[in-house]
Amino acid sequence: MEEKYIMNLRPILHFTSEKNWLNDPNGLSYYDGKYHLFYQYNPYGTCWGNMSWGHAVSEDMLHWSHLPLAMVQDQPYDMAGVFSGSAIEFQQKHFLFYTGVSGKDNKDRQSQCVAISSDGIQYKKMDINPILEGDGIVADKIDFRDPKVWMEGNRLKMVVATKDDFGGKINIYEADGIAHIDEFKLVGTIRKKDFGYMWECPDYFTIRGRGLLIFSAMGVGYEKGLDQDSIVYIGYINETKISGEIVIVYNERVDYGTDFYAPQSLEMPDGRRVILGWMRMEKPLEGCAWTGMMSIPREIHVIEDVIYYRPINELFKYLTTIDIDYMKNNEMGNYSCTYEQHLIYDISIQTDAKKNVRIAFEGDESLEVNYSKTERRVLLHRRIDVNAVDVYKSPILDKDILDLRVIIDRSVVEIFIEGGRYVISAIFQSRSVADKIVINTDDAGCIVHIKGGKVT
Ligand code: FRU
């Protein structure tokens, strides 16, 4: 299908595939001087299917170059899918850990597999695959997927999602180094009561001595009245040595929209921990030949035990200040700026939390961000379908100052509230090219900054 743009909906700095379907980020890693992003990909269509690993590299995690597919379905143990997984570097080699889904005769068994590269372009699946299969007792034979592997000294550690009669859970495994890559042993389990029937895409890391776990839980969203069954949580584990029966002591949603899913993290060479999530869509936006995109990479910071997300600092390099029209004599604080399709917008607002705020495209109902002083919440209205507007709400805010940062990139918005304490993001579909972004507040005392970044 050729792309016919009514307007250009392909985001500028949010990763998209050249064409066709994309879901989870996989194998996010720094190897051979570059960031590598692999992703669940359908080479043959704009819907989910034929799961393979797409591949791209970048120097700043914002501008990506596409590389050939890293892995496709070509082995008996992955004929029905090369599912999600992760990457590590060891002795200048790049190791990809993934879930192979076997063909029909084997009843779609999911097992953990490995592929290796020494040039970061061509990956060879190991002869010893699969390296770990579910036994039907501690790990389900069918639902057992998404290995996230890291190294501690010479030891390999791995978390894998699965389920049992009590619901979704994460198994923790260890192996005695790369030489024993096919001898992973179960050392613990992480679970949470009444929290969905299956978990996916686990990730575990520590920040300032805090053990943090991210997982995507299936079967919790509709119960909360959301438009997606599965949503992403971040949880604290009360220890950094993960083994044994572990209970999540505290958890909250990573994103208060429902498009953000299956994030994966990476430790950057300078120590920053960044996550990237799949912004899910069911079908392509109008006139587009690609489906799904990645979020802007978000740095995770833990300050006094509270988790904050910030758009990756590298974004600032591409942004310059945009002039704002400010109507001084108006009793209301009304601001606006011209909307240009070749820019990504980064709008920040600080105001007294006793004022209402509204940010929207003029004359286009696809996107509206509101802060309601009576509700004390941020509300995002987005239209992705002609007939439906979805509304997402932040938790109740209790600060005296409202601090909002809104990033708009053509067809995706990410809102960082209270310095990233809460995030709401969503894909939206404009019907026409708006010519202004307008900001309305109750009076003129707000601090408003708008920055824009050009397509490079
Ligand atoms: C999450 C997920 C993973 C799986 C992959 C398949 O979105 O369902 O659990 O590995 O997608 O594409």
Side-chain angles (χ1 to χ4, degrees), residues 21 23-24 26 40-41 48-49 51-53 81-85 99 101 110 145-147 161 198-202 216 218 230 261-262 278 280:
W21 169 276
N23 57 291
D24 316 354
N26 294 156
Q40 287 287 283
Y41 183 59
W48 187 90
M51 279 300 116
S52 307
W53 277 37
V82 178
F83 274 17
S84 288
T99 300
V101 186
Q110 299 182 353
R145 58 180 177 269
D146 310 334
M198 172 66 193
W199 292 358
E200 301 185 302
C201 301
S216 299
M218 302 173 88
S230 38
Y261 195 64
W278 164 39
R280 59 187 161 187

Side-chain angles (χ1 to χ4, degrees), residues 92-120:
Q92 282 91 54
K93 290 204 169 56
H94 207 195
F95 288 75
L96 306 184
F97 293 82
Y98 72 98
T99 300
V101 186
S102 62
K104 288 251 161 354
D105 296 348
N106 220 343
K107 296 206 182 82
D108 289 345
R109 259 197 103 140
Q110 299 182 353
S111 58
Q112 315 324 316
C113 305
V114 189
I116 308 182
S117 172
S118 31
D119 64 2

Side-chain angles (χ1 to χ4, degrees), residues 128 347 366:
I128 50 166
I347 302 168
S366 58

